Amino acid sequence: LDCSPGGDTLPLQCYPTSCKKPAPAAPAFSSAVCQPSRLSAKPHLRPAKVCQAGDAYTREKFKPQARRDLEKEKQRLQNILATGKDVVECNVRQALVRTKEEEIPEPDRFEELVNEVQERKEFLAEMEALGQGKKYQSIVLTEISQKMREMEIIDKKRSEEMREIMTKDFPGGKSFFP
């Protein structure tokens, strides 16, 4: 008791380099991460006056817009009363049908055949890559030759038509084709 000041117990560890105790080592996880945050006792509700003072309770003014053209409706009603039929709708429907028919061009058979030949070549290449080329080679080559023959026939017809057109255009019936 004589050596210790105030009669306290002696420290368990002695730090000879400094007379101060070292700071405790930082824990692996901080205490804020491990413990859930504490909620304050005061509620976080805004008073009604503050809410009403903001723009939360203001509504946009209703602005009506015309959904249909009133002049067209008047004309349509006059046509119905005068003739008993809705003439405008019939014309519009016929115009729509005509435009749909005009939009769809007639597919060119020659182009279709070219695409089909290309598809068959790609299929044969895929089968050869998979090791099944011998199995499909004779079938695919036969189909390709049939398509090529059909393409030759179409080509001959087109060339004859072009010759006829060209001979009609030149005076005297002569053409520059031998």
Side-chain angles (χ1 to χ4, degrees), residues 12 17 32-33 99 101 109 129:
L12 296 174
T17 56
V33 174
T99 56
E101 290 175 0
R109 181 65 182 150

Side-chain angles (χ1 to χ4, degrees), residues 145-160:
S145 66
Q146 290 172 350
K147 303 296 178 189
M148 295 295 285
R149 177 68 180 142
E150 192 173 346
M151 289 168 63
E152 289 173 359
I153 293 170
I154 292 172
D155 187 44
K156 285 180 182 178
K157 286 182 183 177
R158 285 184 181 174
S159 61
E160 288 175 8

Side-chain angles (χ1 to χ4, degrees), residues 15 18 20-27:
Y15 301 102
S18 91
K20 295 181 181 177
K21 292 182 182 178

Side-chain angles (χ1 to χ4, degrees), residues 104-115:
I104 302 172
E106 186 176 324
D108 185 21
R109 181 65 182 150
F110 193 84
E111 292 297 322
E112 288 178 3
L113 291 171
V114 169
N115 292 337

Side-chain angles (χ1 to χ4, degrees), residues 72-94:
K72 286 184 180 179
E73 290 292 322
K74 287 179 187 177
Q75 290 294 328
R76 183 176 162 267
L77 196 61
Q78 287 177 353
N79 289 337
I80 291 173
L81 293 174
T83 60
K85 295 180 181 179
D86 193 3
V87 179
V88 176
E89 285 185 8
C90 294
N91 292 339
V92 171
R93 288 180 187 166
Q94 289 175 356

